[in-house]
Every structure is written in structure tokens, then in C-alpha cells.
Amino acid sequence: MSIPSDLDIAQAATLQPMDDVARQMDLPTELLERHGSDVAKIELDAIEAMADRPRAKYVVVTAITPTPLGEGKTTTTVGLGQAFSHIGKRGVVAIRQPSMGPTFGIKGGAAGGGYSQVVPMEKFNLHLTGDFHAVTSAHNMLSAVLDNHLYQGNAAGLDPYRVTWRRVLDVNDRALRNVVTGLGGRMDGVPRESGFDITSASEVMAVLALSNDLPELRARLGRIVVGYTRDGDAVTAEDIHGAGAMAALMRDALKPNLMQTLENTPVLVHAGPFGNIAHGNSSIVADRIGIHGGDYLVTEAGFGADMGAERFFNIKCRASGMTPDAAVVVATVRALKAHSGNHRIVAGKELPPALLEENPDEVHAGGANLRKQIENMRIHGVSPVVCINAFPTDHDSEHRAIREIAESMGARVAVSTHFADGGRGAAELAEAVAEAADEPSHFQLLYPDDASLREKIETVATKVYGADGVDYAPAATSSIDLYERNGFGNLPVCIAKTHLSISSDPKLLGAPTGWRMPVREVRASVGAGFIYPICGDMRTMPGLGKNPAAHHIDVKPDGTIVGLF
């Protein structure tokens, strides 16, 4: 069966007026701030206005360790949200807003796929209501205030060599990774080394996602650490009088965006924190509204269950106080075959022909990864449902192999064809999720607030990743001591590592054992509220490839955008 391109499907969609989408959630339409006919922001008063409504079941969608191509978590999230209407229930979807850097880089869009998409696709991927630009402006406002503080006499005593705050831009631009600011003469500032990250890597983005309301947003912005004195004392955005201006720029960005799927299911699109150095989940504010808008609120966590879901549980749920009722673990035949170690998948290149041949034994060979990710849900007390995200190149015997692996772990499992068939294709999955969500909740955090930072790091490494232990570089040890001395030891941890392995080594497939996790350095996002140990080389400013999507995205004379996919 031939399926039109994602963009063609999206541009042929019949959209409902935003008032009708809001009514599906019993969301008062007077709380909508309309941005054209097909996007609206939701006033924060909706949280209180809907608080007495019944609470939806809270479902997080995660995955096995993905290939570089991704395994369809967003598409599954959207498809599952649509599927609930096919079993007589009301679903609401909450997802991140995509960064325009990857959109113009290798991804070309992140609205889902096939007949399980968020629409209008063009607005979803390009600007939307300007939240990313607000984050960029607020972040760089603090950068400007910081450099001006140094120029105007440095009353806070910042050590120029210990400034940790950089600048951001929502563009893939490797030339800006490392820069020198303040060149040109005395009137042009204090020269120092700095650099740019992509906007999704900004701590301001993580603050946006983890704030429960406007006062908390303002307080978190004030707690952002911009650097340290020579004595090792933290200097914050509040200390240099930059937080108020940031909050003013972020006020409207805190309102979540309302959109819809191809089947007109309500979608809350809000925030887009990086999945490597941040928690990779959409906003608490969106969830606080969506949890009272239907029977099921379906949200997505970035990368595999060892990363996005672990952070959803231990960072986002810790901050929101909301507890999940079920988790969906997306699995694909191609990813499990890749975890067998017999195939190498490279983004932008054709799949190896042997990968497409029928071979259920290879699926079983890679099954350790699925078993470990199911286990990672259970150690948090959450009922897992394995979604077999079906591709046209799959074979029935390979789907049976995944089912056997999941059932051997006592997990529910369903085949889903939501890409080709929309919500109807995910009805079996919706039934399984409904059953899992009805089970008594036993949710638990992995570690307490008062554990030491080393205890928290080692708990995640050993229990979730399967490491034998953790080895700290001298710089990492010094940073941990500095953070605990400054009173940051009560924060949760967000371990920055490769998303291509459960381990910290992208070459280790399946569910590796007998390895130790090396922590190269440790950084602090105090405003966002977590400490992030870094394992390996994390790129916070991507570069464009040889043939990026930017080469193909264009606009026709009638205004129609082409080239997104």
C-alpha cells in the first residue's frame, strides 16, 4: 500500500475550529487566546477552572533504545491519543514543541507521521506561537545582563574564568559552538571565551517545562546559576538583577498551545527541553490542564525508557506531584534486529537489505533490550504495555517474536498500525493501555531527595542502566563537592549520555552488563532543578549535514510550504 507523504497528508486534513477542539476537553473557550484559526494558547486560569473535573488516566509513551532513525514514539503518542475515540473514550495528547534546528537539519519535522500527526504541520514545526523565540530572548537577555555586569564593575565578584552561562540560538550552527565575546575595544565589553547552544538545550527551556505556574517560573529563573566567584560561591540570575526581565519575556510562553491531530483529538504542545542534557519532556502546565480534559492524557518522554521515562518519573513527576498510571514501551522489529549486533543503521542512508529479510531469531537476539526497558518501568511501579510499531517491511513471525519476549516478562503487548491506519490502527493498543491503567498504582521514585548526588548517580547507573558502578573524573568529583557545598545536593540527577545504548557507550547494544559508567564532568541546572553528570561528549549545538532539510524546504508563490517531512 502506498501512503502519501506526511506533508501531503497534513495539508489535506480537515481541521475543526479551535472552539470545537477545546469543547472536547470541556475547556472554557473564553480561556483561549487565538493565534489564527487553527492554533490557540490556553490561559493559565484554565488550571483552576478545570481542577474540579475528573482526573484522566496519565499515560507516558517511551521506547526501547532507538536506532538513529527513531522508533516512532511521537507517532505512537498521537496514534494512541486518536485511538481512544475508537473504543469509546476521550483522549488528550501532550507533547513537546520541536526545535527548528533539527527540523532544518536531518529530521525535516517532528509532528508524528502518516495518519497519526499533529496539524497544521507547518505551524507545529515552524515558530508556532513564538515560545522558542521567547526562550531564546530570555536566555540571551541574561547573557547580556551578565556581560554588562562584568563591564560595569562586577559587584557580584564573578570569576570571568568560571562563568557558566552561554548564549543560545534555535539553529544548527557548528561555527558558534565556541566563540570569544567582547572583542573590539574597551567599550565593547570584557573579552572572554564563551559559546552558543541550541535553544532546546537552554536551562530556560527546562525551567519553562518544569514550572507549575508563573510565580514558580519567576523563582526558578532567579535561581539560575550563571557562574562562581573565586571562592566557589554560586552567583545567580537574581544576584545580577536579570531574572525579572527574563520572566517578563517568558510570561506568555508559559501558556500551553492547543492544536489537534488529523482526527481532531486535542493536543497540548508546550516546551521542548533537550533529551540529552535535560529531561526531554513536555510541560507540567500542559499536563495540569490536560489531566482534567478527557479520560486519558497521553504524553511522550524523549529517547529510550532508560532516559526520557526515567527523567519523567524522577524529575518531572517529582516536580509536578502527578503520578503515572501506565507506560507504553514502543518496540520495532528493526530496532530489535539492530540490537542483535548484526546490522548497522545510519541516519540518512538506506537500511541494510539483510535487515528487511524475515528473521525472528534476530528479534529474539536483540530482545534483551526490550526486557530491560520493561524492567525499568517496573522498578518505578508502573504497568508497561509493549507497542509493536508495525512497519510494512515487518513479517508476522517477527511480530510474534516481540510478543513472546513481552509476554515472557508478563507485559501486555499490542500490534499497532497507527502510521498507516490512524487511530483505528491503534485500537488494540488503546484497549491494552486502558486495562493497564486500571490496575492499582504503585508508582515510586527511584531515590529520595536527601540522598547524596553520588548516591543518586550510582542508583540510576546501576538500577536503570545495568552498570557495575561509576567512575568519576577529578573534575566531576570537584564539581559534585562544589554543588553540595552550595546547597544543591537535594536536586535530582539527569545523566547526559548517549541515547543509542542503555549504557554510556553507543557501541554497546542490547542490555550490556559488566561495564562501569565514566562521569567526565558534572554541571548544574539549579533553576530547572537538576544536576546533570556528563558521560562522553555531548553536543549542545548541532551542525548541519551535507544535505540538510534546509536545502529542500521552500515556499510556493501561493504561500504553500514544501519540503517538510
Side-chain angles (χ1 to χ4, degrees):
M1 179 181 66
S2 177
I3 298 177
S5 73
D6 290 352
L7 185 58
D8 287 342
I9 292 171
Q11 290 179 339
T14 300
L15 303 185
Q16 285 187 352
M18 295 313 297
D19 283 9
D20 291 347
V21 176
R23 289 189 189 101
Q24 290 186 55
M25 297 176 59
D26 295 327
L27 172 64
T29 57
E30 62 269 21
L31 297 177
L32 296 184
E33 179 183 290
R34 292 161 184 80
H35 288 249
S37 61
D38 41 30
V39 177
K41 276 194 166 292
I42 304 173
E43 297 284 350
L44 297 184
D45 290 344
I47 296 174
E48 184 176 351
M50 301 176 70
D52 60 350
R53 310 275 174 81
R55 181 189 181 279
K57 297 291 186 179
Y58 194 25
V59 181
V60 61
V61 177
T62 183
I64 62 173
T65 303
T67 68
L69 304 179
E71 307 317 309
K73 283 195 312 300
T74 304
T75 309
T76 301
T77 302
V78 175
L80 176 58
Q82 295 179 150
F84 282 114
S85 67
H86 293 266
I87 65 168
K89 305 290 184 179
R90 292 189 303 154
V92 177
V93 173
I95 58 175
R96 288 179 290 172
Q97 180 181 343
S99 166
M100 287 195 297
T103 293
F104 284 90
I106 197 168
K107 293 187 76 171
Y115 289 95
S116 294
Q117 294 188 59
V118 180
V119 286
M121 179 195 191
E122 302 94 325
K123 289 187 178 180
F124 180 84
N125 286 299
L126 306 174
H127 304 296
L128 197 53
T129 56
D131 295 347
F132 265 65
H133 303 309
V135 171
T136 302
S137 296
H139 183 117
N140 292 335
M141 174 62 72
L142 181 57
S143 303
V145 168
L146 187 157
D147 279 307
N148 185 59
H149 185 88
L150 293 174
Y151 176 77
Q152 300 292 350
N154 194 12
L158 262 171
D159 182 348
Y161 294 101
R162 302 183 78 176
V163 171
T164 56
W165 194 252
R166 290 157 55 93
R167 285 171 166 80
V168 298
L169 192 66
D170 197 29
V171 174
N172 286 6
D173 193 345
R174 62 172 54 83
L176 293 179
R177 287 171 180 163
N178 299 285
V179 302
V180 177
T181 61
L183 297 179
R186 189 181 68 84
M187 297 297 291
D188 297 317
V190 178
R192 64 182 184 85
E193 292 186 18
S194 186
F196 279 76
D197 301 321
I198 197 163
T199 297
S200 55
S202 168
E203 184 175 348
V204 179
M205 183 67 81
V207 165
L208 171 65
L210 289 170
S211 296
N212 281 274
D213 50 35
L214 186 58
E216 183 177 342
L217 174 81
R218 173 62 181 83
R220 285 178 178 270
L221 292 173
R223 292 197 294 267
I224 288 174
V225 173
V226 299
Y228 297 85
T229 67
R230 287 181 173 84
D231 293 331
D233 296 327
V235 178
T236 67
E238 202 71 69
D239 292 334
I240 61 173
H241 309 293
M246 298 172 73
L249 289 168
M250 291 296 296
R251 183 194 64 176
D252 290 338
L254 188 58
K255 304 170 186 174
N257 305 290
L258 179 63
M259 299 184 73
Q260 61 190 290
T261 73
L262 290 167
E263 297 180 14
N264 312 119
T265 303
V267 183
L268 298 165
V269 181
H270 201 212
F274 224 44
N276 277 13
I277 65 165
H279 61 296
N281 288 263
S282 58
S283 78
I284 288 173
V285 168
D287 286 0
R288 291 183 68 194
I289 295 171
I291 201 71
H292 297 291
D295 299 313
Y296 296 87
L297 173 61
V298 185
T299 190
E300 175 196 357
F303 295 136
D306 54 301
M307 296 185 69
E310 183 273 315
R311 296 162 187 180
F312 172 83
F313 298 142
N314 293 297
I315 296 177
K316 185 177 180 181
C317 292
R318 190 186 300 263
S320 70
M322 298 170 63
T323 57
D325 296 290
V328 175
V329 180
V330 178
T332 62
V333 167
R334 76 178 179 196
L336 288 172
K337 283 184 171 181
H339 280 291
S340 73
N342 296 335
H343 308 282
R344 184 167 179 265
I345 298 176
V346 179
K349 293 188 177 181
E350 293 290 329
L351 291 172
L355 184 74
L356 305 180
E357 296 175 1
E358 184 172 8
N359 195 333
D361 290 340
E362 282 190 338
V363 175
H364 278 289
N369 188 272
L370 175 56
R371 285 190 287 272
K372 178 57 179 165
Q373 301 293 28
I374 292 172
E375 178 186 309
N376 286 338
M377 298 302 95
R378 290 226 170 91
I379 63 175
H380 291 94
V382 180
S383 297
V385 177
V386 174
C387 167
I388 302 173
N389 183 16
F391 289 14
T393 52
D394 296 348
H395 301 273
D396 290 342
S397 63
E398 295 167 334
H399 288 173
R400 284 196 298 273
I402 298 177
R403 188 178 293 275
E404 289 165 5
I405 296 166
E407 290 177 345
S408 73
M409 296 290 292
R412 293 177 174 85
V413 59
V415 176
S416 189
T417 60
H418 48 273
F419 183 92
D421 300 318
R424 176 173 56 85
E428 179 190 355
L429 175 63
E431 295 279 10
V433 168
E435 289 180 5
D438 281 341
E439 293 181 346
S441 176
H442 302 289
F443 175 71
Q444 60 184 10
L445 298 171
L446 199 58
Y447 48 79
D449 290 343
D450 59 5
S452 71
L453 291 178
R454 287 176 178 83
E455 288 172 334
K456 292 170 184 174
I457 294 167
E458 288 158 16
T459 297
V460 175
T462 56
K463 290 191 175 181
V464 177
Y465 305 159
D468 287 347
V470 180
D471 298 320
Y472 300 93
T477 297
S478 298
S479 294
I480 290 172
D481 293 341
L482 174 67
Y483 300 149
E484 292 187 331
R485 189 167 69 248
N486 275 278
F488 308 151
N490 64 320
L491 297 177
V493 296
C494 179
I495 297 175
K497 71 173 188 71
T498 179
H499 63 285
L500 298 175
S501 172
I502 292 182
S503 77
S504 57
D505 183 346
K507 296 187 292 294
L508 297 180
L509 303 176
T513 57
W515 62 281
R516 296 181 62 83
M517 187 176 80
V519 176
R520 177 171 59 85
E521 62 176 303
V522 183
R523 299 179 188 173
S525 288
V526 180
F530 54 78
I531 303 297
Y532 61 103
I534 298 177
C535 309
D537 186 18
M538 291 293 111
R539 290 291 189 191
T540 53
M541 171 56 85
L544 293 174
K546 188 173 183 179
N547 186 28
H551 289 181
H552 310 287
I553 294 172
D554 208 335
V555 60
K556 292 182 177 180
D558 65 358
T560 302
I561 291 173
V562 296
L564 291 169
F565 53 87

